[in-house]
Amino acid sequence: MIARPQQPEWTRFYRLRAVGGVTALHARFVAHRYARHVHEYTVVGLVESGVQSFIYRGSRHITSAGRIFIVNPDEPHTGEAVSSAGYIYRTLYLEEAILRRVLTEVGGPASRSTLIRGAVLEHSALAASLS
């Protein structure tokens, strides 16, 4: 049996200066695992290829290609590839002020809370925008 060389992991981190309060990560992970951690901002991610898994709110969630995952601020979570093929994803890190502005623009006046209930979404229009 001939072993195929594994594609390398990589990361690209961006600060979107035109949109204050937003940073982004585009990455490919195979062996990298995020230990349990929290963020001070909302994370909205799109898995472009492969399958990602994460523990969030006491449950394991699976995010396959074309699906979106969301993690609210200050909520512990992990992250890893489901298989040795790894995954490629894009994430936006949204400060509360920018998230409130976006929610107001797309759905009218934002509620008092910017917390999002779902962990994994299937929403083709949002996925296309994130891509």
Side-chain angles (χ1 to χ4, degrees), residues 96-105 110-114:
E96 185 174 357
I98 191 73
L99 182 58
R100 185 172 302 284
R101 191 175 88 205
V102 168
L103 292 173
T104 300
E105 288 174 8
S111 70
R112 292 177 196 227
S113 174
T114 54

Side-chain angles (χ1 to χ4, degrees), residues 8 26-27 39 45 64 70 76 84 113 128:
H26 188 202
H39 300 278
S64 56
I70 298 175
S84 62
S113 174

Side-chain angles (χ1 to χ4, degrees), residues 12-16 22-26 90-94:
R12 293 182 186 102
F13 188 75
Y14 306 91
R15 293 194 192 283
L16 306 177
V22 177
T23 54
L25 172 67
H26 188 202
R90 295 175 186 266
T91 57
L92 293 176
Y93 303 111
L94 306 170

Side-chain angles (χ1 to χ4, degrees), residues 45-52 63-69 87-90:
L46 169 67
V47 174
E48 294 181 327
S49 66
V51 183
Q52 178 232 29
T63 315
S64 56
R67 297 186 82 192
I68 298 159
F69 62 92
Y87 65 102
I88 296 174
Y89 76 146
R90 295 175 186 266

Side-chain angles (χ1 to χ4, degrees), residues 17-99:
R17 297 188 203 298
V19 185
V22 177
T23 54
L25 172 67
H26 188 202
R28 179 177 194 275
F29 292 128
V30 178
H32 175 76
R33 295 176 151 204
Y34 285 107
R36 189 171 187 248
H37 66 286
V38 299
H39 300 278
E40 296 177 358
Y41 36 77
T42 300
V43 177
V44 178
L46 169 67
V47 174
E48 294 181 327
S49 66
V51 183
Q52 178 232 29
S53 170
F54 65 111
I55 296 175
Y56 177 60
R57 296 181 174 168
S59 298
R60 179 170 298 280
H61 301 277
I62 304 296
T63 315
S64 56
R67 297 186 82 192
I68 298 159
F69 62 92
I70 298 175
V71 176
N72 286 307
D74 300 319
E75 293 204 36
H77 61 284
T78 64
E80 64 187 325
V82 167
S83 75
S84 62
Y87 65 102
I88 296 174
Y89 76 146
R90 295 175 186 266
T91 57
L92 293 176
Y93 303 111
L94 306 170
E95 293 178 9
E96 185 174 357
I98 191 73
L99 182 58

